[in-house]
mmCIF file of all heavy atoms in Angstrom:
data_model
loop_
_atom_site.group_PDB
_atom_site.id
_atom_site.type_symbol
_atom_site.label_atom_id
_atom_site.label_comp_id
_atom_site.label_asym_id
_atom_site.label_seq_id
_atom_site.Cartn_x
_atom_site.Cartn_y
_atom_site.Cartn_z
ATOM 1 N N GLU W 35 -9.047 -2.132 12.672
ATOM 2 C CA GLU W 35 -10.181 -2.968 12.227
ATOM 3 C C GLU W 35 -9.862 -4.413 12.605
ATOM 4 O O GLU W 35 -8.807 -4.924 12.246
ATOM 5 C CB GLU W 35 -10.335 -2.788 10.703
ATOM 6 C CG GLU W 35 -11.193 -3.795 9.997
ATOM 7 C CD GLU W 35 -12.645 -3.791 10.458
ATOM 8 O OE1 GLU W 35 -13.403 -2.917 10.001
ATOM 9 O OE2 GLU W 35 -13.000 -4.649 11.275
ATOM 10 N N ASP W 36 -10.768 -5.053 13.350
ATOM 11 C CA ASP W 36 -10.455 -6.414 13.807
ATOM 12 C C ASP W 36 -10.842 -7.497 12.806
ATOM 13 O O ASP W 36 -10.382 -8.623 12.919
ATOM 14 C CB ASP W 36 -11.101 -6.691 15.171
ATOM 15 C CG ASP W 36 -12.596 -6.533 15.140
ATOM 16 O OD1 ASP W 36 -13.075 -5.553 14.541
ATOM 17 O OD2 ASP W 36 -13.305 -7.385 15.699
ATOM 18 N N GLU W 37 -11.699 -7.175 11.825
ATOM 19 C CA GLU W 37 -11.987 -8.181 10.801
ATOM 20 C C GLU W 37 -10.804 -8.173 9.833
ATOM 21 O O GLU W 37 -10.635 -7.229 9.053
ATOM 22 C CB GLU W 37 -13.269 -7.826 10.051
ATOM 23 C CG GLU W 37 -14.532 -8.074 10.854
ATOM 24 C CD GLU W 37 -15.735 -7.439 10.192
ATOM 25 O OE1 GLU W 37 -16.105 -7.883 9.096
ATOM 26 O OE2 GLU W 37 -16.270 -6.470 10.758
ATOM 27 N N ASP W 79 -12.538 1.425 13.516
ATOM 28 C CA ASP W 79 -13.735 0.597 13.675
ATOM 29 C C ASP W 79 -14.296 0.829 15.085
ATOM 30 O O ASP W 79 -13.554 1.194 15.998
ATOM 31 C CB ASP W 79 -13.323 -0.874 13.482
ATOM 32 C CG ASP W 79 -14.508 -1.801 13.450
ATOM 33 O OD1 ASP W 79 -15.615 -1.356 13.076
ATOM 34 O OD2 ASP W 79 -14.328 -2.993 13.792
ATOM 35 N N ILE W 80 -15.607 0.622 15.261
ATOM 36 C CA ILE W 80 -16.171 0.850 16.593
ATOM 37 C C ILE W 80 -16.068 -0.388 17.492
ATOM 38 O O ILE W 80 -15.534 -0.339 18.588
ATOM 39 C CB ILE W 80 -17.640 1.341 16.486
ATOM 40 C CG1 ILE W 80 -17.655 2.757 15.902
ATOM 41 C CG2 ILE W 80 -18.296 1.331 17.864
ATOM 42 C CD1 ILE W 80 -19.005 3.413 15.845
ATOM 43 N N MET W 81 -16.577 -1.527 16.980
ATOM 44 C CA MET W 81 -16.545 -2.741 17.806
ATOM 45 C C MET W 81 -15.190 -3.417 17.666
ATOM 46 O O MET W 81 -14.853 -3.911 16.587
ATOM 47 C CB MET W 81 -17.644 -3.709 17.335
ATOM 48 C CG MET W 81 -19.049 -3.174 17.490
ATOM 49 S SD MET W 81 -19.527 -3.057 19.207
ATOM 50 C CE MET W 81 -19.913 -4.777 19.527
ATOM 51 N N LEU W 82 -14.435 -3.421 18.750
ATOM 52 C CA LEU W 82 -13.075 -3.964 18.699
ATOM 53 C C LEU W 82 -12.768 -4.748 19.961
ATOM 54 O O LEU W 82 -13.270 -4.405 21.031
ATOM 55 C CB LEU W 82 -12.054 -2.805 18.641
ATOM 56 C CG LEU W 82 -11.979 -1.948 17.398
ATOM 57 C CD1 LEU W 82 -11.200 -0.680 17.714
ATOM 58 C CD2 LEU W 82 -11.294 -2.709 16.272
ATOM 59 N N LYS W 129 -20.279 0.266 6.826
ATOM 60 C CA LYS W 129 -19.858 -0.957 6.125
ATOM 61 C C LYS W 129 -21.066 -1.636 5.491
ATOM 62 O O LYS W 129 -22.127 -1.602 6.082
ATOM 63 C CB LYS W 129 -19.216 -1.922 7.131
ATOM 64 C CG LYS W 129 -17.903 -1.436 7.696
ATOM 65 C CD LYS W 129 -17.274 -2.571 8.464
ATOM 66 C CE LYS W 129 -16.928 -2.117 9.873
ATOM 67 N NZ LYS W 129 -16.281 -3.146 10.658
HETATM 68 CA CA1 CA R 1 -15.248 -4.820 14.474
#
Side-chain angles (χ1 to χ4, degrees):
E35 165 62 80
D36 59 316
E37 286 168 66
D79 187 27
I80 291 185
M81 297 290 282
L82 291 165
K129 293 190 233 182

